[in-house]
Amino acid sequence: MKKLFLIFTLLCALVVLVSGCGSFSNPPGSTGGNLGNTGSSGGTVQAFTVSLEHEGKKYIPDNNLKAQWYDGSGYKQAEFNSEGVASITGLDGDYSVTLDGLDDRFTYNPNIYFVSNDERDVTITLHTLTPTDGRGEVYHEHYIYGVGYYRATFNSDYEMQRGIFFAYVPLNKGIYTVESYVDLTLNEVNPKLNVYVGNRNYAGNIQRCVDDGSLSSNFTKNFKYEVEVKTVSQSVYYRFAVIFESRSPVSYPFNIDFELRYQSEAGEAEPPVRSVPKPSEEDFTERRSQFSAKGLNWQPSGWTYADINKYYYADLFRFNNEDGLWHVWNKDTNSYGAILWAKIKKDNNVFQTESQTGFADGLVSTNYVNGYNYDSFISNYSANVNGDGCYPVTAELKEFLQNFAINQRYFMDGRGWAEDLGFKATEESQWLFACGYYTADIYL
């Protein structure tokens, strides 16, 4: 009998060992993730947790609020318990953390909270929304009387295009910032800020449309607008309208939250950061002549993207100082192969536009790309592409593509837009997202 008991015990231990070698996936729709994510303390499952704070104190929600973990491909959810903690096991990797079902009294920045296997716990700070009066129309704006967190509520497509109007009369000199908080993980809505000139009795014209400056994704680009107030009086009247565009129909009412923040006293800090103009240095006429002199075809055939099974490897390409272009690199013969081209005026595998004109599309912003204004740059390159909308990759073009990929966060440790489409790249290989070569383009 003792022998049978010993055999039974050994079999149970073997089952435990075998099951520990893999992981068990919960059924579709389950919020528990994958089991088997154990820590170093005796195989104990370690949970990922989310807590909340408001005005420096722990906050316990009184509604069915849920925390969401997003890994670039899908969401996992867990409700907050009576102690104000949302907990989940089975996660493995890096995640963005957002909320689902937050009380209408509050807002938060959904784009700054992340967890990983090394940092599993996070606390989200909630902010109370400041109420406003007015109707949100021109001459009947929502009046803002101080810094804080505000909400633009849209009730129709007409309001989406016209905008919800706000007006602010600053009480103090200084640098102020208006910044939107639209969730990047959804990537469906793009907010914009129309800044007007005028006074209380004259709405004036749109001085500037701000459609970037803060955290952004491929489509969603949070706006951030800075202004220095040098004079304080009742005649100094700041009018702006929040608008947005959407890739799919939205359900109304639809909200866009933003923060009006006092940065510093006037003159205390550097003036608001503006993007540095980055003109092109390429001699486009000379480039055509170079191709003609070498017997190269400006319109080759047989296009192939630069990825290998959706992976980008920069070491497969090399810059040729003799012709000033990037090429496919043949490691076996240590020689340059086909010239590398970039899709400039045509869409690529990573992003598509409604006009199918790539970087030349009006909705693709290039005026603030990692601190540089590439509007003139990209306009010049767009005017000199071949029939496929492509241009050979120069040193400066490679730099633009790298800055663009970083600015758009295409590759962000599994949370980037390109990674959501299945593409992968090392830090130094991001620029290849729009590149490829022609198989018939044999370098002479």
Side-chain angles (χ1 to χ4, degrees):
M1 188 69 179
K2 289 182 179 180
K3 185 175 181 180
L4 289 174
F5 178 78
L6 178 60
I7 293 174
F8 176 78
T9 304
L10 290 173
L11 286 173
C12 289
L14 180 60
V15 169
V16 171
L17 282 172
V18 172
S19 63
C21 295
S23 62
F24 172 80
S25 297
N26 288 318
S30 170
T31 60
N34 296 327
L35 297 178
N37 183 21
T38 60
S40 59
S41 57
T44 303
V45 174
Q46 296 187 22
F48 285 66
T49 69
V50 180
S51 301
L52 306 172
E53 69 174 12
H54 177 243
E55 297 181 346
K57 299 179 181 178
K58 184 182 179 78
Y59 176 77
I60 300 177
D62 55 6
N63 62 332
N64 295 325
L65 180 63
K66 296 179 181 179
Q68 297 186 136
W69 292 262
Y70 180 73
D71 64 356
S73 60
Y75 294 89
K76 296 291 185 179
Q77 290 187 333
E79 291 188 1
F80 285 84
N81 60 24
S82 59
E83 297 180 352
V85 177
S87 178
I88 192 171
T89 59
L91 301 186
D92 183 20
D94 300 327
Y95 295 83
S96 301
V97 181
T98 57
L99 300 174
D100 180 32
L102 182 62
D103 190 300
D104 285 341
R105 296 173 296 169
F106 303 110
T107 188
Y108 73 107
N109 189 340
N111 304 313
I112 59 174
Y113 299 101
F114 304 97
V115 292
S116 66
N117 292 340
D118 297 325
E119 298 289 339
R120 299 168 182 264
D121 308 318
V122 68
T123 299
I124 294 177
T125 300
L126 304 181
H127 307 284
T128 301
L129 286 166
T130 303
T132 58
D133 52 14
R135 301 201 300 263
E137 304 170 359
V138 180
Y139 304 122
H140 300 283
E141 298 90 348
H142 291 302
Y143 290 97
I144 296 177
Y145 299 102
V147 297
Y149 299 85
Y150 296 90
R151 172 165 291 169
T153 299
F154 301 81
N155 293 293
S156 66
D157 288 344
Y158 170 72
E159 290 187 348
M160 173 184 74
Q161 299 168 6
R162 180 207 66 184
I164 304 299
F165 285 77
F166 294 82
Y168 178 51
V169 178
L171 301 177
N172 299 288
K173 299 178 183 179
I175 298 175
Y176 293 80
T177 300
V178 182
E179 183 176 5
S180 63
Y181 289 155
V182 176
D183 188 353
L184 299 181
T185 63
L186 300 176
N187 201 37
E188 287 292 330
V189 169
N190 184 41
K192 297 183 180 181
L193 189 74
N194 284 340
V195 181
Y196 288 78
V197 294
N199 52 47
R200 287 180 181 271
N201 300 315
Y202 173 63
N205 299 315
I206 297 177
Q207 180 188 44
R208 181 182 179 188
C209 179
V210 184
D211 63 350
D212 56 13
S214 186
L215 298 177
S216 301
S217 185
N218 174 264
F219 183 77
T220 300
K221 300 177 179 65
N222 279 290
F223 60 73
K224 183 177 182 181
Y225 175 65
E226 292 183 344
V227 60
E228 183 175 358
V229 177
K230 298 181 179 180
T231 303
V232 176
S233 72
Q234 292 300 308
S235 63
V236 178
Y237 190 77
Y238 290 89
R239 177 185 282 111
F240 58 87
V242 179
I243 64 174
F244 74 93
E245 55 190 354
S246 179
R247 295 201 289 189
S248 58
V250 300
S251 298
Y252 296 106
F254 185 83
N255 300 320
I256 291 180
D257 296 346
F258 63 91
E259 179 186 5
L260 174 61
R261 182 168 60 249
Y262 178 79
Q263 292 287 96
S264 63
E265 294 182 4
E268 180 179 300
E270 293 294 325
V273 176
R274 303 292 182 230
S275 54
V276 179
K278 195 77 169 179
S280 61
E281 298 180 359
E282 171 77 344
D283 188 331
F284 299 101
T285 302
E286 176 62 27
R287 184 67 67 191
R288 292 268 191 156
S289 299
Q290 177 195 59
F291 267 62
S292 178
K294 288 183 174 291
L296 296 175
N297 192 349
W298 188 252
Q299 182 76 37
S301 59
W303 176 265
T304 298
Y305 274 105
D307 65 285
I308 304 295
N309 295 324
K310 291 195 170 183
Y311 279 77
Y312 296 107
Y313 300 100
D315 59 355
L316 298 179
F317 308 93
R318 186 164 296 186
F319 186 73
N320 187 344
N321 288 308
E322 292 187 6
D323 64 10
L325 296 174
W326 279 84
H327 291 254
V328 175
W329 178 247
N330 191 324
K331 291 184 178 181
D332 295 332
T333 60
N334 287 328
S335 60
Y336 295 102
I339 294 171
L340 198 63
W341 296 67
K343 286 187 176 289
I344 302 297
K345 206 173 180 180
K346 289 289 185 181
D347 294 349
N348 56 69
N349 273 347
V350 172
F351 77 86
Q352 287 80 44
T353 62
E354 186 173 348
S355 66
Q356 300 181 351
T357 56
F359 296 107
D361 184 89
L363 295 179
V364 177
S365 176
T366 57
N367 62 7
Y368 194 96
V369 179
N370 221 25
Y372 295 102
N373 186 329
Y374 279 101
D375 282 354
S376 173
F377 178 96
I378 208 66
S379 177
N380 288 334
Y381 270 88
S382 296
N384 290 278
V385 296
N386 67 9
D388 292 333
C390 299
Y391 196 88
V393 181
T394 61
E396 64 177 4
L397 185 53
K398 178 253 188 183
E399 180 184 11
F400 161 73
L401 295 172
Q402 180 77 358
N403 282 329
F404 191 88
I406 293 172
N407 188 73
Q408 297 301 313
R409 292 171 173 80
Y410 282 162
F411 305 95
M412 198 171 60
D413 296 330
R415 302 187 301 272
W417 170 257
E419 290 166 315
D420 194 25
L421 298 175
F423 293 95
K424 304 291 182 183
T426 59
E427 179 67 26
E428 65 275 9
S429 303
Q430 299 181 58
W431 59 281
L432 291 166
F433 75 92
C435 297
Y437 54 92
Y438 294 95
T439 55
D441 183 18
I442 306 302
Y443 185 62
L444 302 178

